[in-house]
Amino acid sequence: MDTTNNRPTNSEDDGTLTNRQGHPITNNQNIRTVSNRGPATLENYDFIEKISHFDREKVPERIVHARGAGAHGYFEAYGTVGDEPVSKYTRAKLFQQKGKQTPVFVRFSTVVHGLHSPETVRDPRGFAVKFYTEDGNWDLVGNNLKIFFIRDAMKFPDMIHAFRPDPVTNIQDARRFFDFCANSPESFHMVTFVYSPWGIPANYRMMQGSGVNTYKWVNDEGQAVLVKYHWEPKQGIKNLTVKEAEEIQGKNFSHATQDLYEAIERGDYPEWELLVQLMPDGPNPELDFDPLDDTKLWPEDKFPWRKVGRMVLNKNPENFFNEVEQVAFGTGVLVDGLDFSDDKMLQGRTFSYSDTQRYRVGANYLQLPINAAKKRVATNQEGGQLRYFNDKAPGQNLHINYEPSSMGGLKEATQTGAEYTPHVDGNLVRQSIDRHDNTKQAGDTYRHFEPWEKDELIGNLVNDLAVCPKDIQDKMIALAEQADEEYGRRLREGLAGKGPGLRVGDTEFAEELQHPLGAKHTQEAVQDAIEKGREQDPY
């Protein structure tokens, strides 16, 4: 009891519950009512503050990559790229010194489905790393697979719409997926990966990561090379068959999140090695593919993987929402020594990712601790929803929120390394890149698969293509035949006599054929629930 000025107050210590105004809460069990049965009164401030905040606990979920898990850790540089000094290729400070550690936060995710979808779905997995470097944040935003379905950002909303649940039934539909893919032949290589066991990683710790996009490294002389990033797990790589995934999902639909959390809690810290592939900057016309094409792999025999450093995750989030849900990544978040290529997917993502975070978390999302740089920040930005503080420098004239100024405002930084100034020449056009060859690498990938992976791939494709109209089946078979004779033959034989066998428009859109990608016996499950459900009397 505080008797200052002879006015007793409520007892309060560090463990006392308060509201957001700092008022101690003396009754957190009952709202204020007229007698103990009600009605309630409007001035229930503590209740209204509590319930109105509860009503707003969730920010809009991510349009893609909604389901995810994350952890803190560090990146340790080797100081070299392969056997060469890393400074030969990039001046980015985090890579220069052997043993230099940079704090990181990593978020793993699935792509297509919502916040509480199972972690056993057939889907690429997101692999996003935020480096809190001494030069500010660097976000390396990618997936577990090293390629993608499309090569131009214009098609991204259509791709996601086709892959997400039907807008009428809210059920994912393999026909919509293959309708898009069959009419976007550049997707065939990615389809080959996603429908193989690589489409269902066993968990987040035992999967690869990739930047997917092509970036550039820039050295002190302002010279650039193209670069691809790859994360290789020290825990090994494990994938699941459909049957294995179904069994796991029946027991635990958050198995990958739980696996990551528990491994870190017991001190079994997951680790990845970062490797890069480097290529001279330019179109590289001697190749049979364009190095900026996200549907293509860079052959390892021509562009070897070179070790750059390692990453260790050693701390779980203290609060899932504050850190995992509100963390915000963007492909445009680069530091000095790293730069953009003309990769059309990268160019589109660079606008889209940061724009999404401003919509989802708010204009001041970079002031949240999980997103804030771990160094000084000084800007002339003002206002916006949930503005917490002004990014002003010590000694700055607070009246001056613009630049240039001679009255104590912020000044431009001095450029140290030579500026990278790539030459650009050509007409503004809306055209696809050259050197498509949508099936060659898919054939290489198929031939690289082990027999059990091929069996799983063919079985999974047949299961989902069987519900598709014949036009779509024929297009997918043709792509498989172009990729590899055996691939096409096995797919044709597997589909023989199966599926609607109808052409688009010959029948109504049969809703009973809908099922999530890779799922089997879905209609049986609907009937089982009716037939096996236990009848109960009302109470």
Side-chain angles (χ1 to χ4, degrees):
M1 175 162 313
D2 183 353
T3 56
T4 305
N5 296 326
N6 297 318
R7 294 183 59 194
T9 62
N10 296 318
S11 176
E12 181 179 357
D13 59 31
D14 288 343
T16 300
L17 178 68
T18 74
N19 65 19
R20 293 308 296 268
Q21 302 288 8
H23 307 158
I25 301 293
T26 58
N27 190 325
N28 195 43
Q29 317 306 316
N30 306 288
I31 63 173
R32 197 176 189 188
T33 58
V34 179
S35 78
N36 64 355
R37 298 182 64 240
T41 58
L42 185 61
E43 81 281 0
N44 266 280
Y45 182 86
D46 289 345
F47 166 71
I48 290 173
E49 183 191 82
K50 182 180 182 181
I51 197 67
S52 61
H53 186 277
F54 174 79
D55 294 342
R56 295 162 173 80
E57 274 188 0
K58 304 299 184 184
V59 299
E61 73 174 43
R62 289 168 168 84
I63 304 299
V64 289
H65 297 276
R67 171 63 138 136
H72 298 268
Y74 62 89
F75 173 77
E76 183 178 301
Y78 294 160
T80 53
V81 52
D83 298 325
E84 298 182 280
V86 74
S87 58
K88 178 179 178 180
Y89 299 102
T90 177
R91 60 181 185 241
K93 291 179 183 176
L94 81 159
F95 292 129
Q96 301 304 316
Q97 181 182 343
K98 181 178 181 180
K100 182 182 181 65
Q101 293 188 356
T102 300
V104 300
F105 185 82
V106 179
R107 187 176 186 272
F108 305 105
S109 57
T110 57
V111 176
V112 171
H113 294 280
L115 188 60
H116 294 292
S117 54
E119 293 182 306
T120 48
V121 291
R122 183 169 300 285
D123 198 15
R125 302 300 193 266
F127 195 124
V129 183
K130 185 178 294 293
F131 298 78
Y132 301 96
T133 87
E134 62 188 282
D135 276 344
N137 290 351
W138 169 36
D139 291 350
L140 180 55
V141 192
N143 289 332
N144 66 313
L145 298 172
K146 304 179 188 304
I147 57 171
F148 203 56
F149 292 96
I150 52 177
R151 59 171 67 97
D152 194 304
M154 179 66 84
K155 300 182 72 168
F156 189 77
D158 299 291
M159 184 200 82
I160 295 299
H161 285 173
F163 295 0
R164 294 186 76 180
D166 184 303
V168 177
T169 66
N170 200 36
I171 301 171
Q172 192 181 33
D173 191 331
R175 292 170 298 176
R176 289 162 36 85
F177 176 90
F178 281 109
D179 185 28
F180 177 87
C181 292
N183 289 290
S184 304
E186 70 269 27
S187 68
F188 190 69
H189 194 189
M190 186 66 165
V191 169
T192 300
F193 269 113
V194 168
Y195 267 78
S196 78
W198 292 87
I200 313 179
N203 55 45
Y204 297 134
R205 291 186 303 119
M206 297 175 176
M207 70 180 194
Q208 296 170 297
S210 172
V212 180
N213 298 124
T214 301
Y215 287 89
K216 289 182 182 179
W217 272 3
V218 181
N219 65 15
D220 273 332
E221 286 70 47
Q223 300 165 333
V225 292
L226 301 178
V227 60
K228 287 267 196 182
Y229 298 100
H230 305 289
W231 294 106
E232 289 298 303
K234 293 291 187 71
Q235 301 72 238
I237 303 168
K238 289 190 176 182
N239 299 315
L240 299 173
T241 65
V242 170
K243 186 175 185 298
E244 292 162 346
E246 288 175 345
E247 292 171 353
I248 292 169
Q249 183 174 324
K251 299 173 183 176
N252 187 342
F253 65 86
S254 298
H255 79 284
T257 294
Q258 184 172 340
D259 173 80
L260 178 66
Y261 181 87
E262 291 181 348
I264 293 173
E265 284 298 292
R266 66 176 178 263
D268 183 13
Y269 302 140
E271 182 177 337
W272 286 261
E273 195 158 49
L274 181 61
L275 303 99
V276 297
Q277 291 178 285
L278 303 177
M279 184 186 299
D281 188 13
N284 292 273
E286 72 282 0
L287 301 175
D288 62 1
F289 66 95
D290 191 309
L292 304 185
D293 184 348
D294 286 351
T295 71
K296 300 294 193 293
L297 295 169
W298 290 8
E300 191 176 349
D301 58 342
K302 295 181 180 178
F303 308 99
W305 291 17
R306 308 189 194 187
K307 298 177 181 180
V308 174
R310 70 186 186 109
M311 178 175 70
V312 178
L313 300 184
N314 60 2
K315 182 178 180 295
N316 279 312
E318 295 180 1
N319 183 278
F320 186 89
F321 179 82
N322 290 354
E323 296 162 69
V324 179
E325 192 60 21
Q326 291 196 126
V327 68
F329 299 91
T331 56
V333 184
L334 305 177
V335 294
D336 184 48
L338 313 178
D339 215 319
F340 305 97
S341 77
D342 296 331
D343 179 337
K344 292 186 181 184
M345 284 296 296
L346 174 60
Q347 298 282 318
R349 292 175 78 201
T350 294
F351 167 76
S352 177
Y353 271 59
S354 295
D355 184 55
T356 294
Q357 308 304 347
R358 296 184 189 102
Y359 152 75
R360 194 179 69 87
V361 187
N364 291 305
Y365 72 97
L366 291 174
Q367 290 194 345
L368 294 174
I370 192 63
N371 296 320
K374 297 184 185 297
K375 64 174 293 292
R376 65 175 292 279
V377 173
T379 77
N380 286 321
Q381 294 178 1
E382 296 283 354
Q385 188 177 32
L386 296 179
R387 185 76 172 181
Y388 181 55
F389 53 81
N390 286 327
D391 305 325
K392 303 303 180 186
Q396 181 181 352
N397 184 344
L398 299 182
H399 295 278
I400 309 301
N401 58 356
Y402 53 86
E403 192 281 328
S405 166
S406 58
M407 296 194 298
L410 297 172
K411 304 293 184 183
E412 293 175 322
T414 301
Q415 178 82 34
T416 52
E419 185 173 359
Y420 172 56
T421 57
H423 177 74
V424 179
D425 184 25
N427 298 324
L428 289 176
V429 298
R430 292 187 179 92
Q431 296 175 357
S432 178
I433 61 174
D434 298 329
R435 292 176 283 175
H436 288 171
D437 202 336
N438 296 316
T439 58
K440 178 180 183 293
Q441 287 199 2
D444 294 338
T445 295
Y446 176 82
R447 288 184 290 274
H448 182 73
F449 283 162
E450 296 180 15
W452 73 272
E453 292 178 298
K454 292 181 180 179
D455 293 344
E456 188 75 8
L457 168 64
I458 297 299
N460 294 333
L461 285 172
V462 168
N463 178 70
D464 281 1
L465 281 169
V467 301
C468 294
K470 192 171 186 304
D471 282 15
I472 293 175
Q473 291 180 355
D474 289 344
K475 288 179 181 178
M476 295 303 298
I477 291 170
L479 290 170
E481 289 174 337
Q482 292 171 25
D484 181 88
E485 184 278 329
E486 177 191 290
Y487 192 174
R489 174 177 51 76
R490 291 188 63 180
L491 186 57
R492 181 180 294 279
E493 290 172 353
L495 286 170
K498 292 187 178 180
L502 301 167
R503 296 192 176 276
V504 175
D506 287 350
T507 186
E508 293 293 324
F509 201 70
E511 293 179 355
E512 71 273 9
L513 296 177
Q514 290 186 305
H515 63 252
L517 300 188
K520 298 182 179 181
H521 314 299
T522 54
Q523 192 60 34
E524 290 179 24
V526 174
Q527 288 303 120
D528 284 349
I530 297 171
E531 296 171 3
K532 296 181 180 179
R534 304 296 182 91
E535 291 189 8
Q536 305 268 196
D537 293 330
Y539 65 90

